[in-house]
């Protein structure tokens, strides 16, 4: 049904003027995805301030057959958080639902609303001397509801798991407007199917997450950060295995950076200098964390000593040819800043085609080498730019346009590049979507590579949870 004045009046009745946007110009940021690949249109943007309001809005949509596109910080990279161009859907933006409802330090949990910004939740945990470990480049604007709906990964998965692993309970508005009250804070609960996991990673197609109970952890007292030059790609994964053993499994991050990445960061970000003079085809940013929160008393703690001994042994073995170990939190932040702006440096350099893929960790080097060979054979001057979460086998196997080609001409090869990379990933028992989801961008890839039985079961689940198909239609399936 079209969104007429009568429907808009009913929406206003629920959320008031503060909770609704109907002016086309004001709606632009809500209907344009982060990468500006998808420009949609909406009948209205709705911004509920409570679960009750969200449920009432969805009930109106269900009755009128209006499609609902749930949205958090709109930082998703697969076009899942914006509507199509018909203008027949509403965007349900959760940003006003941003309260921490409870924090139970002894139970190591916090109960939060879906519109809380991830960085704010990290701070809330820190204030209670706890750690909420989910961490990603968009943490200053992405929201926990979006993180859970995409089952976000990030830089600490190696130690703490994906977003899915950090949740004990959820509250969800269902497609008919009822609220599923699953906010339990239990670490053991085997009373039937674990329904919350169906909503996590569902990209808003099965329900709208309005709140969650998140797991908290002790805050590590000792955190050591090192950037290492590792010339040989085949040494990277064994280096990770050695680091895990040498540190007593204290490796919390292990990020691969290519030389091109470091060069583009220095080129495009004023004020960032190369952290070391040694040029190397590959670098690894590694973090070790451990121990009680005793930083003040242990200026030269045991973790630091263990890291230095580890590095010395790797220098002697010529696996690592140079390293910078952060001597302060500020220097550690500077090293992390390079990693965080790496994707943006590629955007500033021109056209880029991204592949968020994973393979078994043991196959990472073979995948990068073979993928690079195949892409370079496909196009002269192409600049392969692989980086990311080696510890999870998750490589952002991105490519930058040749310097001599226009962006538009490069983008004509988008689908054929995807095919080359994704074919290789599937041959290596990997995934064509490691952490960003399927959304609109990879829907055809799911249809192409998905197992028929998987797809059948997914469609049946969709029919159970959303029989009228109003929740984020056109996404994923
Ligand atoms: C610079 C940068 C770095 C990034 N780094 C990483 C990274 O390291 N790891 C990673 O995994 N991702 C990364 N991302 C991608 C993105 O930040 C994540 O996918 C994030 O989890 C999306 O959160 P969001 O609040 O922006 O969700 P949105 O973009 O608003 O939505 C994402 C999807 O979830 C659905 N959705 C949103 N909120 C809800 C809700 N409450 N209920 C139901 N469905 C909902 C939407 O409909 C959409 O399908 C990065 C993005 C950027 C821009």
């Amino acid at each position: 049904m079209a969104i007429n004045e009568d429907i808009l009046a009913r929406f206003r009745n629920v959320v008031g003027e503060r909770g609704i946007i109907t002016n086309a110009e004001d709606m632009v940021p809500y209907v344009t995805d982060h990468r500006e690949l998808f420009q949609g249109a909406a009948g209205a943007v709705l911004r509920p301030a409570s679960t009750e309001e969200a449920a009432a809005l969805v009930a109106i949509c269900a009755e009128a057959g209006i499609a609902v596109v749930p949205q958090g910080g709109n930082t998703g990279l697969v076009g899942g958080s914006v509507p199509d161009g018909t203008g027949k859907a509403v965007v349900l933006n959760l940003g006003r639902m941003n309260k921490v409802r409870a924090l139970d330090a002894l139970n190591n949990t916090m109960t939060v609303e879906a519109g809380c910004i991830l960085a704010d939740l990290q701070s809330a945990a820190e204030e209670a001397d706890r750690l909420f470990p989910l961490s990603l480049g968009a943490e200053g604007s992405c929201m926990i509801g979006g993180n859970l709906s995409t089952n976000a990964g990030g830089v600490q998965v190696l130690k703490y798991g994906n977003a899915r692993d950090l949740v004990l309970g959820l509250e969800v508005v269902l497609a008919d407007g009822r609220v599923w009250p699953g906010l339990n804070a239990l670490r053991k609960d085997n009373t039937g199917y674990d329904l919350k996991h169906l909503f996590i990673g569902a990209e808003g197609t099965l329900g709208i997450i309005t709140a969650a109970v998140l797991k908290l952890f002790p805050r590590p007292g000792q955190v050591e950060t090192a950037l290492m030059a590792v010339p040989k790609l085949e040494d990277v994964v064994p280096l990770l295995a050695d680091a895990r053993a040498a540190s007593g499994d204290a490796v919390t991050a292990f990020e691969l950076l290519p030389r091109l990445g470091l060069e583009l960061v220095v080129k495009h970000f004023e004020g960032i200098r190369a952290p070391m003079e040694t040029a190397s085809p590959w670098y690894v940013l590694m973090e070790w964390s451990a121990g009680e929160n005793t930083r003040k008393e242990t200026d030269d703690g045991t973790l630091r000593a263990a890291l230095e001994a580890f590095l010395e042994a790797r220098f002697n073995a010529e696996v690592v040819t140079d390293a910078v170990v952060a001597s302060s939190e500020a220097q550690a932040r500077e090293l992390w800043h390079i990693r965080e702006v790496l994707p943006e440096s590629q955007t500033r350099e021109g056209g880029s085609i991204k592949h968020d893929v994973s393979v078994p960790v043991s196959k990472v080097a073979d995948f990068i080498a073979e993928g690079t060979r195949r892409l370079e054979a496909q196009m002269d001057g192409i600049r392969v730019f692989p980086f990311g979460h080696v510890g999870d086998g998750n490589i952002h196997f991105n490519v930058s346009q040749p310097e001599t080609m226009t962006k538009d001409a490069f983008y004509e090869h988008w689908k054929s590049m995807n095919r080359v990379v994704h074919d290789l990933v599937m041959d290596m028992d990997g995934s064509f979507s490691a952490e960003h989801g399927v959304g609109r961008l990879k829907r055809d890839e799911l249809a192409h590579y998905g197992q028929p039985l998987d797809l059948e079961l997914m469609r049946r689940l969709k029919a159970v949870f959303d029989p009228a198909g109003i929740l984020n239609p056109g996404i994923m399936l």
Side-chain angles (χ1 to χ4, degrees):
M1 188 204 262
I3 302 172
N4 55 31
E5 283 306 321
D6 176 44
I7 297 281
L8 291 176
R10 292 177 67 188
F11 289 152
R12 277 196 184 90
N13 219 9
V14 175
V15 286
E17 282 304 332
R18 270 191 76 193
I20 183 166
I21 303 170
T22 51
N23 177 302
E25 209 177 305
D26 295 341
M27 284 196 278
V28 170
Y30 298 91
V31 297
T32 312
D33 79 305
H34 180 82
R35 292 177 66 195
E36 299 186 0
L37 296 174
F38 299 97
Q39 175 69 63
V45 174
L46 305 173
R47 306 192 72 229
S50 65
T51 303
E52 294 69 32
E53 288 186 9
L57 293 170
V58 174
I60 295 170
C61 292
E63 193 192 307
I66 294 168
V68 181
V69 178
Q71 187 180 74
N74 197 15
T75 68
L77 298 174
V78 289
S81 50
V82 292
D84 66 15
T86 60
K88 290 184 177 163
V90 292
V91 172
L92 193 81
N93 181 288
L94 280 294
R96 287 177 71 211
M97 293 186 58
N98 57 4
K99 286 193 243 1
V100 174
R101 289 188 190 164
L103 194 151
D104 182 344
L106 288 181
N107 196 40
N108 274 311
T109 50
M110 61 178 168
T111 306
V112 307
E113 291 183 343
C116 290
I117 288 180
L118 176 56
D120 294 342
L121 294 181
Q122 294 165 347
S123 303
E126 196 175 327
E127 275 165 34
D129 199 21
R130 294 291 184 273
L131 173 77
F132 181 58
L134 187 66
S135 173
L136 44 126
E139 63 197 23
S141 43
C142 62
M143 296 174 189
I144 193 68
N147 300 144
L148 298 179
S149 301
T150 55
N151 186 26
V155 294
Q156 304 255 343
V157 174
L158 183 56
K159 184 75 178 175
Y160 297 99
N162 291 291
R164 181 186 298 287
D165 302 304
L166 304 173
V167 180
L168 293 177
L170 286 185
E171 174 188 85
V172 179
V173 172
L174 302 176
D176 58 8
R178 283 180 300 167
V179 178
W180 177 66
L183 280 180
N184 100 42
L186 303 173
R187 284 184 161 74
K188 286 192 172 176
D189 175 22
N190 282 341
T191 47
Y193 299 132
D194 197 340
L195 295 172
K196 67 176 176 291
H197 282 301
L198 292 173
F199 300 105
I200 299 172
E203 301 182 40
T205 61
L206 299 183
I208 293 156
I209 296 173
T210 47
V213 180
L214 304 174
K215 288 186 199 168
L216 301 177
F217 296 82
R219 230 153 54 82
Q222 303 176 62
V223 180
E224 302 295 345
T225 309
L227 181 73
M228 303 173 286
V230 187
K232 291 196 204 119
L233 185 58
E234 61 272 24
D235 284 340
V236 169
V237 170
L239 183 68
L240 167 63
D242 290 348
R244 293 186 75 168
S247 65
D249 210 11
V251 181
T252 34
F254 196 88
E255 297 286 308
L256 181 73
L257 290 75
R259 175 157 62 193
L260 176 63
L262 215 54
E263 285 169 1
L264 293 188
V265 167
V266 172
K267 176 176 169 188
H268 292 294
F269 287 85
E270 218 174 294
I272 298 187
R273 289 183 301 112
M276 66 177 73
E277 282 182 7
T278 306
S280 166
W282 302 100
Y283 301 88
V284 171
L285 181 60
M286 180 171 74
E287 184 187 86
W288 291 11
S289 340
E292 292 298 308
N293 194 6
T294 53
R295 178 176 279 279
K296 285 191 194 77
E297 292 105 69
T298 54
D299 281 348
D300 192 13
T302 55
L303 195 67
R304 174 82 176 201
L307 175 62
E308 283 170 355
F310 171 78
L311 286 174
E312 198 179 325
R314 265 70 224 165
F315 284 134
N316 293 339
E318 296 178 6
V319 169
V320 173
T321 53
D322 199 355
V324 175
V325 181
S327 56
S328 62
E329 278 186 37
Q331 203 187 355
R333 269 200 303 277
E334 279 172 22
L335 292 176
W336 272 108
H337 187 53
I338 293 175
R339 167 63 185 88
E340 281 155 14
V341 299
L342 202 74
E344 176 60 21
S345 76
Q346 203 197 6
T347 307
R348 293 189 187 182
E349 180 67 5
S352 61
I353 299 176
K354 297 181 194 294
H355 303 97
D356 162 43
V357 299
S358 65
V359 292
V361 175
S362 51
K363 296 185 182 176
V364 162
D366 288 347
F367 165 71
I368 292 177
E370 179 59 16
T372 303
R373 193 189 64 70
R374 290 190 191 183
L375 288 178
E376 287 178 349
Q378 180 103 344
M379 185 183 284
D380 284 342
I382 193 168
R383 290 175 290 168
V384 183
F385 190 110
F387 67 94
H389 322 301
V390 172
D392 322 322
N394 175 198
I395 297 300
H396 297 299
F397 198 68
N398 295 359
V399 278
S400 279
Q401 66 180 81
E403 281 165 311
T404 50
M405 196 182 251
T406 65
K407 198 170 176 176
D408 286 346
F410 181 59
Y411 282 166
E412 279 171 24
H413 299 267
W414 192 299
K415 283 215 150 72
S416 61
M417 296 269 165
N418 285 175
R419 189 58 71 237
V420 170
V421 174
H422 293 160
D423 277 356
L424 175 62
V425 164
M426 299 312 281
D427 283 350
M428 297 182 89
D429 304 318
S431 165
F432 63 84
S433 180
E435 61 175 6
H436 294 162
V438 174
R440 215 175 279 286
L441 190 68
K442 293 190 174 180
R443 195 180 52 185
D444 293 347
E445 298 301 89
L446 180 61
H448 181 79
Y449 292 111
Q451 295 295 326
L453 187 54
D454 286 357
L455 293 172
E456 182 194 321
L457 293 174
M458 285 164 77
R459 286 198 187 97
R460 285 213 218 160
L461 272 176
K462 173 75 175 168
V464 168
F465 280 89
D466 180 21
I470 64 163
L471 293 181
N472 226 354
I475 299 305
M476 195 185 297
L477 290 172

